[in-house]
C-alpha cells in the first residue's frame, strides 16, 4: 500500500487500503473499495486530497509504521470536541485530552518512526483537528530524540493537540496564540508548559515571530518542537510538498527560525522517504521504497526492473536522486 494524491488515483488498478472519513469522523468509504470516478469528484469537493491505496506496484508494502487508524480518528474527535466546547464557552474534555495524549505517546513508543495519515485525507471540516493530532505525533517523535520523559511527553502532546485552540475564539491569526494561552493556563489539570506551547508556537529564534517577537532562549524548546512539527505537517498536507523536500526546508531554517538542537531532533525522528514512494536511484534504476529499516533517511528500495530489494543503509554508494510521480 502507499499514500497518493487523489488526483493520481486509477479506478482500474487501485483500491482503498485505508478508510476515508467524513466531517463527523465516520467512515465515508471503507478499505477494499474502488473509488468510482463520479465519487472521486465528490471527495475532491469535500476537500480530500490524499488516499491510501493498494496496487500492483505497492503490493507487499504494509505501512506497519503508520499510526493506528482508530486511535487517530478518536484523537481527531477529541480535539474537535475541545474546540466546540471552547466555542460554546463550556468546559473542555480534560480527561479525554489527557487519555488521547497518552495513547499517541504509546503509538510513538512502539514504532521506530510514525508514518502520518495526511490531514487532508479527511473531510475539510475536520482537517484542522487532524492537523493538530499529526503535529502532536511529529512532536512526540522529536521529544523521543530529545530524551523527554513520559511526563514531559504528555505535556508536549497536550500543548500540541491544543496549540491552535485560540482559533476557537478568534479569527485573528496574530491573536490566537495569546487566546490559546489564556484558555489553557486556566485549566489547573494541564501543566503551564502546555499553555506556553500554544502561546509561543509562532515565535522564531531570530525574533521575527509573533505575538511577542521573542528571541533565542526566550523561546521555550517545547514550543520550538511544536513549531517545527506544525510547519512540517503544513508542508506535507496543505502545501503537498514531498517529505524529503519538507525535511530539507526545515533544516534550512536552522538558527533562523529554530534552534539547532530542535532541528537535529526532527532530522533524527522523521523519515525523508515514506514506504510506497516511487524514486529514481543514482544508478539510473527506478524503484519503490518498501520499508524503513535501520536508517530513517536511507530506506529499503525495491528495484522495478529486477524486483531486487536494496538496503540503502547498507550501501552508501547508492543514493536516491529524485522522487517520481505516482
Amino acid at each position: 500500500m502507499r499514500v497518493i494524491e487523489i488526483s493520481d488515483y486509477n479506478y482500474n488498478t487501485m483500491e482503498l487500503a485505508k478508510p476515508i472519513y467524513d466531517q463527523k469522523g465516520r467512515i465515508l468509504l471503507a478499505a477494499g473499495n474502488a473509488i468510482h470516478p463520479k465519487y472521486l469528484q465528490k471527495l475532491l469537493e469535500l476537500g480530500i486530497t490524499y488516499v491510501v491505496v493498494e496496487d500492483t506496484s505497492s503490493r507487499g508494502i504494509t505501512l506497519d509504521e503508520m499510526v493506528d487508524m482508530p486511535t487517530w480518528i478518536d484523537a481527531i474527535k477529541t480535539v474537535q470536541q475541545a474546540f466546540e466546547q471552547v466555542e460554546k464557552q463550556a468546559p473542555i474534555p480534560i480527561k479525554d485530552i489527557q487519555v488521547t495524549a497518552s495513547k499517541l505517546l504509546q503509538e510513538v513508543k512502539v514504532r521506530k518512526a510514525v508514518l502520518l495519515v495526511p490531514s487532508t485525507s479527511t473531510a475539510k471540516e475536520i482537517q484542522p483537528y487532524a492537523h493538530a493530532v499529526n503535529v502532536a505525533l511529529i512532536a512526540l517523535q522529536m521529544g523521543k530524540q530529545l530524551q523527554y520523559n513520559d511526563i514531559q511527553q504528555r505535556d508536549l502532546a497536550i500543548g500540541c493537540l491544543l496549540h491552535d485552540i485560540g482559533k476557537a475564539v478568534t479569527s485573528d491569526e496574530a491573536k490566537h496564540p495569546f487566546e490559546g494561552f489564556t484558555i489553557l493556563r486556566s485549566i489547573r489539570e494541564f501543566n503551564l508548559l502546555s499553555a506556553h506551547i500554544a502561546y509561543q508556537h509562532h515565535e522564531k529564534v531570530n525574533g521575527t515571530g509573533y505575538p511577542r517577537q521573542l528571541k533565542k532562549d526566550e523561546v521555550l524548546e517545547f514550543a520550538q518542537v511544536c513549531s517545527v512539527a506544525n510547519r512540517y505537517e503544513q508542508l506535507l498536507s496543505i502545501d503537498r510538498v514531498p517529505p524529503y523536500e519538507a525535511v530539507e526546508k526545515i533544516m534550512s531554517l536552522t538558527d533562523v527560525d529554530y534552534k539547532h538542537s530542535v532541528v537535529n531532533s526532527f532530522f533524527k525522528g522523521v523519515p525523508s522517504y515514506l514506504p510506497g514512494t516511487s524514486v529514481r536511484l543514482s544508478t539510473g534504476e527506478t524503484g519503490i521504497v518498501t520499508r524503513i529499516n535501520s536508517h530513517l533517511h536511507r530506506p529499503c528500495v525495491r528495484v522495478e526492473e529486477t524486483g531486487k530489494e536494496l538496503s540503502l543503509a547498507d550501501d552508501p554508494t547508492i543514493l536516491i536522486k529524485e522522487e517520481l510521480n505516482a
Side-chain angles (χ1 to χ4, degrees):
M1 66 181 75
R2 59 185 174 131
V3 180
I4 64 166
E5 291 193 22
I6 198 166
S7 57
D8 293 324
Y9 180 81
N10 186 316
Y11 176 77
N12 296 313
T13 63
M14 300 176 180
E15 65 179 32
L16 278 178
K18 298 285 185 180
I20 296 174
Y21 294 91
D22 68 7
Q23 67 271 24
K24 295 185 180 296
R26 301 170 301 196
I27 293 178
L28 196 61
L29 197 59
N33 287 301
I35 308 175
H36 191 276
K38 290 184 179 179
Y39 204 66
L40 200 66
Q41 182 58 40
K42 179 63 176 177
L43 295 177
L44 288 168
E45 291 171 4
L46 289 172
I48 295 168
T49 59
Y50 284 96
V51 288
V52 183
V53 301
E54 182 86 39
D55 60 4
T56 301
S57 65
S58 65
R59 206 164 302 282
I61 299 175
T62 60
L63 295 186
D64 289 335
E65 302 304 316
M66 182 165 278
V67 64
D68 176 68
M69 289 292 281
T71 298
W72 187 68
I73 201 67
D74 285 347
I76 293 171
K77 290 178 181 178
T78 298
V79 175
Q80 181 178 17
Q81 184 184 6
F83 272 69
E84 291 172 347
Q85 290 294 95
V86 169
E87 288 173 355
K88 294 186 294 186
Q89 298 184 334
I92 72 170
I94 294 170
K95 182 63 177 177
D96 290 344
I97 291 291
Q98 292 171 328
V99 169
T100 294
S102 296
K103 287 183 177 179
L104 296 182
L105 176 56
Q106 188 60 30
E107 287 288 313
V108 171
K109 277 186 170 183
V110 300
R111 292 172 168 82
K112 180 177 178 60
V114 176
L115 306 183
L116 303 177
V117 181
S119 59
T120 46
S121 65
T122 62
K124 190 172 183 178
E125 289 80 359
I126 62 172
Q127 287 175 15
Y129 317 120
H131 164 75
V133 174
N134 283 352
V135 168
L137 285 165
I138 298 162
L140 286 170
Q141 292 179 81
M142 295 169 64
K144 183 163 64 172
Q145 298 300 322
L146 290 164
Q147 298 185 330
Y148 291 166
N149 61 37
D150 283 0
I151 294 175
Q152 291 173 312
Q153 288 280 69
R154 180 203 63 193
D155 293 339
L156 174 64
I158 290 172
C160 290
L161 287 169
L162 302 176
H163 72 280
D164 276 337
I165 194 70
K167 291 182 177 180
V169 296
T170 180
S171 59
D172 190 324
E173 176 66 23
K175 292 181 179 179
H176 85 269
F178 175 73
E179 295 294 344
F181 172 71
T182 301
I183 293 164
L184 296 184
R185 73 172 174 176
S186 69
I187 302 172
R188 61 182 179 83
E189 290 87 352
F190 291 163
N191 192 314
L192 188 59
L193 178 65
S194 299
H196 277 287
I197 289 172
Y199 201 4
Q200 298 184 14
H201 72 278
H202 283 296
E203 301 286 0
K204 301 177 181 179
V205 295
N206 66 1
T208 63
Y210 62 90
R212 293 185 291 164
Q213 294 79 50
L214 301 178
K215 296 180 180 179
K216 298 182 179 179
D217 291 339
E218 292 175 335
V219 187
L220 292 174
E221 183 177 82
F222 277 51
Q224 284 269 287
V225 170
C226 179
S227 182
V228 169
N230 183 52
R231 177 77 66 91
Y232 178 71
E233 211 285 326
Q234 287 179 333
L235 285 169
L236 288 189
S237 292
I238 299 174
D239 298 338
R240 298 161 82 173
V241 172
Y244 78 94
E245 286 188 17
V247 169
E248 290 176 355
K249 176 65 174 176
I250 296 294
M251 292 181 66
S252 74
L253 297 172
T254 303
D255 296 328
V256 178
D257 288 7
Y258 313 118
K259 299 175 184 177
H260 180 273
S261 59
V262 173
V263 175
N264 191 47
S265 71
F266 170 77
F267 184 74
K268 290 182 176 179
V270 176
S272 293
Y273 298 94
L274 308 184
T277 303
S278 297
V279 296
R280 188 184 309 280
L281 301 175
S282 57
T283 59
E285 298 167 304
T286 59
I288 189 167
V289 176
T290 56
R291 56 195 171 91
I292 298 168
N293 197 2
S294 60
H295 195 298
L296 284 185
H297 305 286
R298 294 190 60 78
C300 295
V301 176
R302 185 169 65 221
V303 177
E304 182 179 4
E305 291 85 349
T306 64
K308 180 181 179 181
E309 186 169 284
L310 302 174
S311 172
L312 303 190
D314 296 333
D315 194 337
T317 66
I318 301 178
L319 306 174
I320 293 177
K321 297 295 290 184
E322 62 177 324
E323 182 174 322
L324 304 175
N325 293 330

